[in-house]
């Protein structure tokens, strides 16, 4: 089948408007809408819903008449209706699974009108910001009469020593299949047939540290002539799990994991390959080796990046089963759709070596009931039937099972499903069960880690756990050592954990073979669940903070891709650095106690540049694997402390200049030193592209900052900036401010702690130019477009 990009020349309008504008996919229609306090709840980030209409005219050549023509939609949120020339040809409910539709009634040698309607009007339908519209790419597939099926090539590692793979091909017509295995375009092995075993000599195996990839070229022939060809990228790797741990190619792996939602920060839900690769690259650079795609199937682009860069993936189906967590969510569609959606994920992702396990849900309460247990087993059996090489897990919150055991469904769940949910008095204002649970969780905090220790909960969970290959615990670290002793064959991991618990959790991972890793909530910040992980100096409930809060605030890497103190702490605990890390809590709120969230252990980050804050109290955190650290400010001693759990906290006074941390071993010998300095001289606006050259049609990230003459970013001199682009399109411009009414698509935004970010698409060859100004100062930067 021949694949063509189908993202250009679309037109878009909101259903309640006659205004039509041209767009290029991917496109997040919800991000462009005006937020208000009444539009939705904090879970959705106070964005309104809507019905989004996309149209595209295209010519169908007469040559297509004898071919199969198909469209692939990678993701439409949600309840998507597809029409061709006015006739409905497809409906797809789930906003996170892709689907295909065959174009059977084309008008040949004539224009055809394609219309896609995404209905995201009914809120709440999620616990976080979803985005809306055709937010992932669209592809046109054209096949001859004799062709290889869509996703019709499946590659399985049979063994790694010797390296043997199995290549299975589904096709229509043809009488011969030829297979070549390529390494950098060089053929290293070959075979033939629909079900073929191929040994690859001197094979380079794939894992998270050496992500070696091959290409499998499958050629379909008829009477010796090629009728179709498929190229599939794959890695040679074998996974295994037992009471001794989790293994890739016989090597034990500990999962340094983080949960990631699907949105791309200031781009909203729009999925660009460059954005997904950048996220994986940044996460790898700070020590993560695993991602949990929370709580839906990852994008193709994310998995491809994980394959290339060596990031392990826990691939997840959905956030709920038949018991809804919000009034209009997938729980309404689950029983009719789950089999197709689960099969979609497994079939699409089978050839990705980065995918090491499947998850069938997150914090579902149903497994405690007879019906829920049966449904869970059905899902596990289906996935095992489709893929017998990977384990199946589920992110289980034992606190939720505890409430279910006592007959109280936190997420309005139980066998009653959506019928248990009651509307508020205000018309069309439906409850979000997530808000109730997360608010309670923020209050009880670490108690959740111990609640699962109760024998009643253990009994409630045991039948479901018996069916899972791996048990994922959300906030139940108290179970780790209990399970290791009581259930020595039960393999567990932290599917969601508090970032501040990483030292304690990682010690357990290192010391108990049956505990294979930890996934913190969350690795990368996201839109919605407003304020779940934020420390606020303006008060408010630490979860579901009021409008205009927009970000979750719990990511250890913010939406611009900047790691914070929690991230650096995890890197230290994982042994990723031998240098002491200095992180400072904001010093520009003197005498104000922040309201804190249990999903964030600190709001410190790497900066010692706080204009006009001299004399203010400063809380400084130092992370190191050394025995002790000493701290100085402008050469004056602050103190020396023995590190506890890789951390020491100092109270001092901020003074413009330099802060230095010295690390010592047990014998008092200095073994490392780190320093930070303040911005010096006149502040200026700086724009620094992450790439000097891009290809036509690609996007480029351009960090923008307010910095001194010495290149140090100033954290307390934020400015409102306006960005404009020549020879390209400004896709987004914004900062990591978690509480703002500014919008990412307008081109005007205020920096946050001195930083902002522009994301630009190169539309023409030549020089792409970004100009940024605050009305008094300006800067511009150019990127070559090939």
């Amino acid at each position: 089948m021949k694949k063509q990009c189908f993202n250009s020349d679309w037109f878009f309008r909101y259903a309640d408007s006659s205004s039509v504008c041209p767009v290029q996919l991917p496109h997040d229609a919800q991000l462009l809408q005006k937020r208000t306090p009444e539009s939705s709840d904090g879970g959705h980030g106070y964005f309104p819903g809507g019905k989004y209409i996309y149209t595209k005219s295209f010519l169908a050549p007469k040559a297509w008449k004898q071919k199969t023509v198909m469209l692939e939609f990678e993701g439409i949120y949600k309840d998507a209706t597809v029409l061709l020339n006015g006739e409905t040809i497809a409906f797809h409910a789930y906003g996170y699974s892709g689907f295909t539709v065959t174009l059977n009634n084309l008008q040949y040698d004539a224009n055809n009108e394609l219309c896609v309607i995404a209905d995201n009007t009914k809120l709440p339908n999620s616990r976080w910001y979803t985005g809306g519209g055709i937010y992932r790419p669209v592809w046109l597939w054209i096949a001859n009469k004799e062709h290889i099926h869509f996703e019709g090539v499946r590659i399985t590692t049979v063994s790694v020593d010797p390296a043997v793979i199995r290549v299975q091909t589904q096709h229509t017509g043809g009488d011969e299949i030829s297979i070549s295995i390529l390494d950098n375009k060089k053929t290293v092995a070959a075979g033939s047939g629909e079900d073929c075993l191929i040994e690859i000599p001197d094979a380079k195996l794939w894992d998270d540290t050496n992500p070696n990839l091959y290409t499998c070229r499958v050629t379909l022939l008829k009477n010796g002539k090629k009728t179709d060809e498929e190229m599939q990228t794959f890695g040679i790797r074998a996974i295994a799990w037992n009471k001794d741990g989790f293994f890739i190619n016989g090597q034990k792996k500990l999962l340094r994991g983080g949960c990631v939602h699907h949105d791309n920060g200031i781009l909203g839900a729009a999925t660009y390959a460059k954005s997904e690769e950048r996220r994986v690259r940044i996460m790898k650079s700070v020590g993560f080796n695993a991602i949990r795609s929370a709580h839906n199937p990852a994008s193709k682009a994310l998995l491809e990046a994980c394959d290339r860069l060596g990031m392990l993936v826990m691939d997840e189906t959905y956030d709920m089963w038949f018991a809804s967590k919000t009034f209009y969510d997938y729980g309404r569609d689950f029983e009719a759709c789950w089999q197709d959606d689960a099969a979609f994920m497994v079939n699409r992702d089978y050839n990705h070596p980065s995918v090491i396990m499947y998850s069938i849900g997150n914090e579902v309460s149903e497994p405690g009931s007879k019906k829920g247990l049966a449904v869970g087993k059905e899902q596990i059996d289906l996935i095992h039937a489709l893929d017998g090489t990977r384990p199946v897990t589920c992110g289980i919150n034992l606190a939720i099972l505890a409430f279910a055991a006592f007959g109280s469904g936190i997420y309005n769940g139980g066998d009653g499903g959506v019928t248990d949910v009651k509307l508020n008095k205000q018309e069309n204002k439906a409850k979000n069960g997530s808000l109730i649970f997360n608010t309670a969780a923020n209050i009880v905090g670490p108690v959740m880690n111990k609640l699962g220790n109760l024998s009643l909960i253990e009994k409630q969970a045991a039948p479901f756990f018996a069916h899972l290959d791996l048990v994922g615990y959300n906030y139940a670290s108290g179970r780790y050592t209990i399970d290791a002793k009581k259930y020595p064959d039960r393999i567990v991991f932290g599917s969601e954990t508090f970032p501040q618990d990483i030292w304690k959790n990682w010690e357990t991972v290192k010391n108990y073979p049956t505990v294979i890793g930890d996934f913190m909530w969350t690795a990368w910040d996201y839109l919605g669940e407003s304020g779940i992980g934020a420390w606020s100096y303006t008060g408010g409930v630490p979860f579901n903070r009021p409008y205009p809060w927009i970000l979750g605030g719990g990511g250890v890497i913010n939406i611009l891709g900047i790691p914070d103190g929690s991230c650096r702490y995890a890197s230290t605990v994982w042994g990723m650095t031998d240098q002491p890390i200095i992180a400072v809590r904001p010093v520009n709120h003197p005498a104000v106690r922040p309201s804190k969230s249990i999903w964030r252990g600190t709001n410190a980050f790497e900066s010692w540049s706080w204009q006009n804050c001299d004399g203010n109290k400063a809380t400084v955190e130092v992370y190191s694997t050394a025995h002790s650290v000493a701290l100085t400010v402008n050469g004056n001693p602050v103190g020396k402390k023995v590190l506890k759990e890789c951390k020491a906290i100092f109270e001092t006074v901020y003074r413009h200049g330099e802060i230095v941390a010295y690390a010592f071993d047990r014998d008092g010998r200095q073994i490392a030193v780190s320093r930070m300095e303040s911005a010096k001289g006149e502040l200026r606006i700086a724009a620094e592209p992450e790439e000097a050259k891009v290809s036509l049609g690609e996007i480029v990230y351009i960090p923008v900052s307010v910095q001194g003459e010495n290149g140090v970013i100033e954290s307390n001199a934020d400015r409102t900036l306006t960005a404009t682009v020549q020879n390209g399109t400004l896709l987004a411009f914004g900062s990591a401010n978690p509480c703002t009414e500014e919008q990412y698509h307008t081109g005007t935004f205020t920096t946050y702690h001195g930083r902002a970010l522009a994301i630009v698409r190169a539309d023409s060859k030549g020089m792409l130019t970004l100009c940024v100004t605050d009305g008094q100062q300006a800067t511009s930067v150019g990127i070559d477009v090939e």
Side-chain angles (χ1 to χ4, degrees):
M1 302 182 81
K2 303 300 181 184
K3 178 182 179 183
Q4 298 180 14
C5 180
F6 213 61
N7 293 328
S8 301
D9 302 320
W10 288 82
F11 289 88
F12 166 79
R13 70 178 177 89
Y14 295 99
D16 58 359
S17 171
S18 59
S19 177
V20 178
C21 62
V23 296
Q24 182 168 321
L25 306 179
H27 180 255
D28 182 356
Q30 190 173 32
L31 191 73
L32 310 180
Q33 296 178 272
K34 182 67 176 177
R35 300 164 61 233
T36 69
E38 295 78 25
S39 295
S40 62
D41 58 26
H44 280 274
Y46 301 102
F47 280 90
K51 184 178 287 188
Y52 317 122
I53 301 176
Y54 297 82
T55 57
K56 177 181 172 75
S57 294
F58 64 99
L59 179 70
K62 194 172 183 179
W64 287 5
K65 196 168 185 178
Q66 304 302 320
K67 300 179 183 292
T68 298
V69 181
M70 183 176 74
L71 285 176
E72 177 193 3
F73 295 94
E74 288 194 27
I76 302 175
Y77 201 89
K78 59 185 282 288
D79 289 343
T81 301
V82 182
L83 301 95
L84 178 64
N85 298 323
E87 179 185 349
T88 299
I89 58 173
F91 175 80
H92 190 79
Y94 193 30
Y96 295 113
S97 61
F99 64 99
T100 60
V101 55
T102 302
L103 307 183
N104 288 321
N105 297 316
L106 288 167
Q107 299 173 0
Y108 300 103
D109 278 350
N111 279 328
N112 291 263
E113 183 77 11
L114 185 69
C115 177
V116 177
I117 303 172
D119 191 347
N120 190 32
T121 53
K122 295 179 179 179
L123 303 180
N125 57 45
S126 173
R127 300 187 299 120
W128 57 84
Y129 175 80
T130 60
I134 311 178
Y135 70 97
R136 287 179 177 169
V138 180
W139 305 95
L140 179 71
W141 291 85
I142 303 170
N144 295 323
K145 183 178 180 181
E146 294 86 14
H147 64 272
I148 298 169
H149 292 178
F150 176 73
E151 295 176 351
V153 175
R154 175 170 283 208
I155 304 163
T156 308
T157 298
V158 177
S159 65
V160 295
D161 188 16
V164 177
I165 63 169
R166 180 185 184 188
V167 182
Q168 298 167 283
T169 305
Q170 294 180 330
H171 62 98
T172 296
D175 52 28
E176 183 183 353
I177 293 174
S178 175
I179 302 167
S180 299
I181 306 302
L182 310 178
D183 181 11
N184 291 325
K185 299 182 180 181
K186 178 183 177 182
T187 299
V188 295
S192 61
E194 294 179 347
D195 194 338
C196 176
L197 293 177
I198 301 175
E199 182 173 340
I200 302 174
D202 303 316
K204 294 176 286 188
L205 305 183
W206 187 99
D207 67 7
D208 58 309
T209 56
N210 296 287
N212 299 302
L213 294 172
Y214 290 87
T215 300
C216 177
R217 181 175 62 204
V218 179
T219 305
L220 180 66
L221 303 102
K222 184 175 183 180
N223 298 326
K225 293 184 178 181
K226 181 173 73 174
T227 65
D228 200 4
E229 187 172 85
E230 175 72 14
M231 308 286 279
Q232 277 288 320
T233 301
F234 72 99
I236 303 170
R237 67 103 182 91
I239 57 177
W241 58 97
N242 55 46
K243 63 182 180 180
D244 295 321
F246 188 87
F247 300 87
I248 298 180
N249 304 328
Q251 298 295 313
K252 187 172 181 178
K253 296 292 179 180
L254 305 181
L255 305 180
R256 305 186 302 272
C259 300
V260 172
H261 269 320
H262 72 297
D263 75 73
N264 279 303
I266 64 174
L267 286 169
T271 301
Y272 291 88
K274 182 74 67 71
S275 304
E276 299 289 56
E277 181 170 281
R278 179 179 184 265
R279 171 156 45 194
V280 175
R281 186 177 68 251
I282 290 172
M283 289 180 65
K284 284 280 289 188
S285 72
V286 295
F288 288 97
N289 73 347
I291 283 175
R292 178 186 181 190
S293 62
H295 301 291
N296 43 260
S299 69
K300 279 188 174 183
L302 180 72
L303 296 182
E304 289 165 359
C306 291
D307 291 344
R308 290 191 299 270
L309 299 177
M311 182 71 78
L312 309 175
V313 178
M314 172 181 172
D315 209 0
E316 194 152 74
T317 49
Y318 15 70
D319 185 42
M320 72 292 295
W321 294 356
F322 54 81
S324 285
K325 297 180 179 180
T326 63
F327 193 71
Y328 297 109
D329 66 22
Y330 182 70
R332 290 172 170 259
D333 304 304
F334 176 84
E335 295 191 81
C337 299
W338 75 261
Q339 294 186 49
D340 289 340
D341 291 327
F344 150 80
M345 183 184 77
V346 176
N347 291 330
R348 186 199 65 172
D349 301 344
Y350 186 91
N351 290 338
H352 289 284
S354 58
V355 176
I356 59 167
M357 69 178 83
Y358 301 115
S359 169
I360 58 171
N362 172 67
E363 295 187 341
V364 290
S365 60
E366 292 94 325
S369 70
K370 183 177 179 180
K371 176 182 176 181
L373 181 61
V375 169
K377 187 176 183 304
E378 284 183 55
Q379 294 178 73
I380 295 166
D381 290 345
L382 173 65
I383 292 176
H384 280 161
L386 294 171
D387 183 353
T389 70
R390 294 176 172 97
V392 178
T393 187
C394 187
I396 292 295
N397 189 313
L398 292 172
I400 290 174
L401 285 186
F403 281 105
F406 289 112
S408 300
I410 284 293
Y411 284 142
N412 303 307
D415 289 345
V418 296
T419 59
D420 287 344
V421 185
K422 296 181 180 178
L423 291 175
N424 291 337
K425 291 182 179 180
Q426 282 184 280
E427 185 178 3
N428 294 328
K429 282 286 186 177
K431 286 184 178 180
N432 183 337
S434 174
L435 303 183
I436 301 171
F437 175 74
N438 285 322
T439 301
N442 191 75
I443 297 171
V444 301
V447 174
M448 282 201 298
N449 284 329
K450 299 179 180 179
L451 191 58
N453 300 357
L454 298 174
S455 58
L456 173 64
I457 310 310
E458 180 178 330
K459 183 179 179 181
Q460 184 90 349
F464 182 53
F465 287 177
H467 296 301
L468 294 172
D469 301 304
L470 309 174
V471 174
Y473 279 131
N474 284 17
Y475 314 107
S477 57
R479 290 289 326 174
Y480 297 167
T481 55
I482 294 174
D483 280 14
K485 296 172 183 176
K486 194 170 184 178
Y487 304 100
D489 294 323
R490 179 183 290 176
I491 316 302
V492 307
F493 63 96
S495 42
E496 279 186 33
T497 61
F498 299 119
Q500 61 268 28
D501 291 343
I502 186 61
W503 185 88
K504 176 180 63 178
N505 291 341
W506 201 245
E507 286 296 301
T508 308
V509 171
K510 290 189 297 183
N511 293 318
Y512 289 85
T514 54
V515 185
I516 63 173
D518 176 274
F519 289 79
M520 68 176 64
W521 190 269
T522 180
W524 199 282
D525 206 13
Y526 55 96
L527 305 179
E529 286 198 306
S530 301
I532 183 177
W535 285 18
S536 172
Y537 292 94
T538 58
V541 178
F543 183 83
N544 195 37
R545 295 189 188 273
Y547 178 86
W549 282 82
I550 183 172
L551 301 181
V556 302
I557 303 172
N558 72 19
I559 63 168
L560 305 190
I562 307 301
D564 68 5
S566 296
C567 185
R568 297 304 190 188
Y569 179 48
S571 297
T572 301
V573 170
W574 290 330
M576 297 291 114
T577 178
D578 55 8
Q579 297 296 114
I581 303 295
I582 308 169
V584 182
R585 298 182 188 178
V587 303
N588 56 345
H589 300 280
V592 179
R593 292 174 61 90
S595 66
K596 301 179 179 180
S597 164
I598 191 61
W599 278 276
R600 173 168 290 282
T602 182
N603 64 347
F605 62 98
E606 294 170 288
S607 174
W608 191 250
S609 192
W610 298 88
Q611 190 179 82
N612 302 321
C613 289
D614 276 47
N616 287 358
K617 176 183 175 182
T619 300
V620 181
E621 303 180 12
V622 181
Y623 318 128
S624 175
T625 56
H627 174 263
S628 58
V629 291
L631 194 69
T632 66
V633 173
N634 298 334
N636 300 313
V638 173
K640 184 176 182 180
K641 291 189 176 185
V642 174
L643 289 139
K644 182 180 180 181
E645 299 181 356
C646 296
K647 181 191 298 183
I649 299 178
F650 297 86
E651 300 294 341
T652 186
V653 173
Y654 176 76
R655 299 292 179 191
H656 185 274
E658 183 182 57
I659 187 169
V660 182
Y662 303 89
F664 303 90
D665 64 15
R666 288 186 177 275
D667 296 324
R669 293 186 296 253
Q670 182 180 314
I671 55 176
V673 61
S674 294
R675 51 178 39 90
M676 294 192 302
E677 62 178 343
S678 307
K680 297 178 181 178
E682 183 180 357
L683 297 179
R684 61 186 179 89
I685 305 167
E688 301 167 301
E690 294 183 351
E691 299 169 272
K693 185 181 293 184
V694 296
S695 298
L696 183 65
E698 283 190 331
I699 68 172
V700 59
Y701 278 71
I702 309 174
V704 176
S705 61
V706 178
Q707 57 182 240
E709 294 173 2
N710 58 349
V712 173
I713 295 174
E714 172 55 52
S715 296
N716 197 41
D718 288 317
R719 304 180 183 184
T720 299
L721 304 177
T722 296
T724 55
V725 172
Q726 294 178 347
N727 206 29
T729 299
L730 181 66
L731 295 176
F733 182 62
S735 74
N737 188 348
C739 182
T740 178
E741 290 190 289
E742 296 172 306
Q743 293 184 280
Y744 304 123
H745 68 282
T746 63
T748 297
F749 219 93
T750 304
T751 60
Y752 185 66
H753 293 152
R755 297 179 186 269
L757 178 66
I759 304 175
V760 179
R761 185 178 64 230
D763 291 336
S764 309
K765 293 182 179 180
M767 183 63 67
L768 171 66
T769 304
L770 171 75
C771 299
V772 182
T773 181
D774 64 358
Q776 296 182 335
Q777 289 185 340
T779 190
S780 63
V781 65
I783 301 102
D784 287 331
V785 181
E786 298 178 318

